[in-house]
């Protein structure tokens, strides 16, 4: 699992990525490292997200045969306009909280995982409003199981973030409490990679993005 937030190389743009490589241990770490290298190469070339996704897909397919793959969300936020653009490669879709409510699921469908793609990834767009919170996460969050076998679930995740936003909790405190709840749900034993990026877009020039 990798959560990456690079310092923007393009003025006024923030790029976010969450990537989950199949498997565990060294093989998964090597796959993730190769994918991140391709991602950074694409960003240095200032490529659009579908082209960065294609570059990552090519590297994984060529270097890791045997149907190995990674799921990922590559997101790009225009800090001035609030336009959020993303590519979803077989990963849980981003969640967006606005005015203490979860927005309906976005209609843009997911593309196939990196390493298994059969064409250009679909690019999705959403116009954010000031104060909107965007949540990117790995499936280790929603698939966390209690000792009784109950999943943490997307509904519980969304409800937690909505209530935290309504209570005025800043993103860092929301994430701290959320990860505590996920771990507590599993009786203190982390069963899978479980990571989250929570970003809040603001219009203030001094503080446009809070992570």
């Amino acid at each position: 699992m990798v959560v990456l937030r690079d310092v923007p190389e393009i003025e006024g743009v923030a790029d976010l990525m969450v990537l989950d490589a199949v498997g565990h241990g060294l093989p998964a770490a090597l796959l993730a490292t190769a994918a991140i290298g391709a991602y950074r190469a694409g960003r240095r070339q200032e490529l659009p997200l579908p082209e960065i996704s294609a570059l990552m897909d090519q590297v994984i397919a060529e270097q890791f045969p045997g149907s190995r793959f990674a799921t990922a969300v590559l997101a790009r936020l225009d800090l001035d306009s609030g336009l959020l653009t993303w590519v979803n490669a077989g990963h849980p879709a981003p969640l967006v909280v606005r005015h203490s409510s979860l927005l309906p699921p976005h209609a843009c469908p997911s593309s196939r995982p990196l390493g298994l793609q059969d064409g250009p990834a679909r690019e999705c767009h959403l116009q954010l409003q000031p104060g909107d919170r965007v949540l990117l996460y790995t499936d280790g969050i929603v698939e966390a199981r209690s000792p009784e076998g109950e999943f943490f679930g997307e509904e519980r995740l969304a409800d937690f973030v909505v209530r935290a936003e309504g209570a005025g909790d800043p993103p860092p405190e929301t994430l701290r409490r959320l990860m505590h709840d996920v771990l507590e749900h599993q009786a203190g034993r982390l069963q899978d990679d479980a990571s989250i990026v929570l970003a809040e877009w603001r219009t203030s020039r001094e503080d446009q993005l809070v992570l």
Side-chain angles (χ1 to χ4, degrees):
M1 180 285 311
V2 176
V3 175
L4 184 64
R5 190 257 166 161
D6 279 341
V7 175
E9 294 151 1
I10 307 171
E11 182 68 24
V13 172
D15 279 1
L16 308 168
M17 180 177 73
V18 175
L19 180 143
D20 195 357
V22 64
H24 300 279
L26 183 59
L30 292 174
L31 192 154
T33 300
I36 291 171
Y39 170 75
R40 286 177 166 153
R43 290 193 70 244
R44 284 194 295 270
Q45 299 174 54
E46 300 185 9
L47 297 178
L49 293 181
E51 293 185 29
I52 296 178
S53 174
L55 187 60
M56 297 170 72
D57 175 76
Q58 179 181 2
V59 165
I60 294 175
E62 290 178 351
Q63 297 188 18
F64 301 89
S67 298
R68 295 185 63 80
F69 63 90
T71 67
V73 170
L74 286 63
R76 177 167 291 166
L77 176 61
D78 186 306
L79 296 177
D80 291 322
S81 70
L83 179 64
L84 179 68
T85 304
W86 73 92
V87 164
N88 185 355
H91 202 81
L95 299 179
V96 179
V97 175
R98 174 176 297 164
H99 304 314
S100 301
S101 297
L102 181 69
L103 293 189
H106 198 275
C108 185
S110 171
S111 302
R112 298 190 68 182
L114 302 172
L116 304 177
Q117 292 183 353
D118 53 5
R122 303 175 184 87
E123 191 172 63
C124 311
H125 303 275
L126 178 65
Q127 179 60 55
L128 298 185
Q129 296 181 9
D132 280 359
R133 291 185 173 185
V134 180
L135 188 69
L136 310 179
Y137 60 96
T138 62
D139 59 10
I141 295 290
V142 293
E143 294 179 2
R145 287 177 180 265
S146 69
E148 295 74 32
E150 180 186 7
F151 285 121
F152 190 81
E154 184 176 291
E155 183 177 347
R156 194 192 311 261
L157 170 62
D159 181 66
F160 186 100
V161 177
V162 165
R163 286 187 289 107
E165 195 271 344
D169 292 342
E173 175 63 13
T174 299
L175 284 186
R176 186 192 69 79
R177 293 179 52 238
L178 175 58
M179 293 308 298
H180 180 272
D181 269 26
V182 171
L183 190 59
E184 187 176 80
H185 182 77
Q186 302 171 90
R189 299 184 62 183
L190 191 64
Q191 301 153 3
D192 196 3
D193 294 324
S195 295
I196 287 183
V197 172
L198 178 61
E200 179 180 318
W201 179 63
R202 300 176 179 177
T203 54
S204 167
R205 297 291 298 182
E206 293 76 23
D207 196 16
Q208 289 179 312
L209 184 69
V210 180
L211 292 169

